[in-house]
Amino acid sequence: MMSSNLEKRRGLMLVISSPSGAGKTTLARKLMAEFDTVALSISATTRTPRPNEVEGQDYYFKTHDRFHDLVKQGAFLEWAKVFDHYYGSLKSETEAKLSAGFDVIFDVDWQGADALHDQVPNDCVSVFILPPSIEALASRLDQRPGSTPEMVARRMADAKAEISHWRRYDYCIINDDLGMAYSQLRNILLVERMKRLRQNNLAPHVRALLGED
Ligand code: ADP
Ligand code: 5GP
C-alpha cells in the first residue's frame, strides 16, 4: 500500500474501458491494492452476479424496477445499457471520495466514458485497455469464473464495436503481459497526479517562495 497526503491534491476520475475480458477489472484491482488513495466507483447493475462476485464489492445488484427508480431519482452520474443489462455509476459512490482527495476508478463502457468526460472534463482521465489479440480475448473470457459459451459469444460479438471507440480515450494500453500493462497504468496515474492544476499546495508554496505571504 502506498499513501500520499490527501490534503495536497484533489482526486481525479480514472475512467477505464475495454472490450469485456481485456483485463480492466484485474488492472483496477492491482492499482487499489498498491495505492490506498485509489477507490473504485462500485456500479449498480441489473445483471446477475458471477459466482465469485460479492454484493457491494463488485456491484450493487438491482432488479430492473429498483434500477429505474434510481434513474428517476437522479441517483446516477451516468448510466447505460450494455449487452442486455443496465449499468450505472452512482453519485453517492464518488462525491465524498473525490472531495476527500481519493482518485476514483470508473470501470465503464464507452458510453459511460463519454458521459463522464462531458460532465467533468477537467477531473476525468480515460484509459482504454486493448487485448493482445482477438484469440487471447476469447480465451480470457472463456477462463473467467462463471462464463458460459453463450456469454462468451455475446461478449465477443460486441468486442469489435467497443474497440472501435478507442480514439476517444486519453491513453491506450495493450494488456499482453499483465506486469507491463500494470506498470503503464500506474505511470498514467502518477503523471496525471502531477498536473499543475491538481496540486492544491502549489500556489501557497510559490507565494511563500516569492515572499508574497
Ligand atoms: P474485464 O474486467 O476487462 O472484463 P478481467 O479483468 O475480468 O476483464 O479479466 C478477464 C480474465 O483475463 C480474468 O480471468 C483475468 O485473470 C485474465 N487476465 C487479465 N489480464 C491478463 C493478462 N495480461 N494475461 C492473461 N490473463 C489476463
Ligand atoms: P461486466 O458485466 O463484464 O461486469 O461489465 C460489462 C460492461 O459494462 C463493461 O464494459 C463494463 O465496463 C460496463 N460497465 C460496468 N459498470 C458500468 C457503469 O456503471 N456504467 C457504464 N456505462 N458501463 C458500465
Side-chain angles (χ1 to χ4, degrees), residues 70-81:
L70 290 168
V71 172
K72 277 189 230 140
Q73 288 163 21
F76 290 114
L77 265 178
E78 63 76 35
W79 63 274
K81 191 171 187 189

Side-chain angles (χ1 to χ4, degrees), residues 18-26 107 140 144 175-178:
S18 76
S20 186
K24 60 192 170 311
T25 309
T26 308
D107 172 340
R140 285 180 196 175
R144 191 157 63 181
N175 179 19
D176 187 356
D177 175 74
L178 183 61

Side-chain angles (χ1 to χ4, degrees), residues 24 43 47 50 59 78 87-89 107-109 112 155:
K24 60 192 170 311
S43 296
R47 90 152 158 72
R50 296 186 186 123
Y59 280 107
E78 63 76 35
Y87 295 84
S89 309
D107 172 340
V108 295
D109 80 326
R155 279 152 195 266

